[in-house]
Amino acid sequence: MRSTAVRRTALAASAAALALLATACGGSSDDDGAAEGDKAKAEQSAPADGGNAGESAPAGDALTAAELEKVALAQADVKNGEVTSEIPADEDIAKDQVSTDGKACLPLAHAQAAVAQGEPAADVKRSWTGQTETESEGSGPDGQDMTEISVDMVRLNVASYADGGAERALTELKAAVEQCAGGFTASVGGDKLRVAEVTTTAAPEGGDEGFAATLGVDVGKDANAPMKVVVVRKGATIASFSAANLSSMATGADFEVPAAVIDAQIAKLG
């Protein structure tokens, strides 16, 4: 029988990175005390302004929290990985717990922390965790076969907006990349996070508007640790993904955001 071992050094480094992710990548909606008020605002919201110019399609009505729960990612929507609808309390970062050294960069910090942009009528949270195993080219100390494990984590916020708020959120995010390409410092849940650089990447298809960027986080190593932000607008609803790969956090190597997770969420937005 073939024996299999894990690269312990890589996983140990990834475990250290997980401590950073737990504070820096938590999803958030408004605090519990405002939940009922948010739902009420959503139910009373008016149709978004359909007179916006440009290529993007105008938004429709803002969805309520109950409606967002129906269109947010669920376990049945993905073939691999685990979807969680209840974010652990120690990873649940509220909007007022996120700040930056420059106001222009705040939209990026919110996206990275999976906090809803602007003032949504309602929003809900999800997380997805998945892993892949590949056979390593090397061997263990006793000649045994080695398997490398890659762990991906995605925090998801699905938010609905009234009066053109969704379009404004995408505009502010795109502007933030231009103004904050050289990096910024953020405080997330009381922990400092230094983003050394921000670069745009290919936006996803399937929505009315899309945005994607890579944030190179300074973790005190030769290479910055990449975190990915992907945002998709469909009508008055925005799905915001904050993705990290634990091995990449340790090595600085680039990684691909799980496309199946993004595609599944976009499909549910209609």
Side-chain angles (χ1 to χ4, degrees), residues 133-155:
E133 298 184 10
T134 57
E135 187 173 337
S136 172
E137 295 180 357
S139 300
D142 298 322
Q144 71 269 39
D145 295 317
M146 299 284 287
T147 297
E148 293 187 355
I149 299 178
S150 179
V151 179
D152 289 300
M153 298 176 64
V154 177
R155 291 285 185 265

Side-chain angles (χ1 to χ4, degrees), residues 45-52 56-62 117-120 160-172 209 233 235-238:
S45 60
D49 184 2
N52 293 327
S56 61
D61 293 339
Q117 300 290 327
E119 297 297 331
S160 187
Y161 298 79
D163 303 322
E167 294 96 323
R168 287 193 296 273
L170 265 295
T171 298
E172 291 173 359
E209 274 187 282
R233 179 180 72 83
T237 303
I238 285 181

Side-chain angles (χ1 to χ4, degrees), residues 9-75:
T9 55
L11 289 182
S14 296
L18 181 58
L20 171 63
L21 290 172
T23 54
C25 292
S28 175
S29 61
D30 292 336
D31 59 31
D32 292 339
E36 292 185 2
D38 289 342
K39 183 176 180 180
K41 286 192 296 182
E43 292 172 345
Q44 297 170 7
S45 60
D49 184 2
N52 293 327
E55 298 180 357
S56 61
D61 293 339
L63 300 181
T64 66
E67 290 170 330
L68 287 176
E69 288 288 350
K70 294 179 181 179
V71 299
L73 192 71
Q75 187 64 56

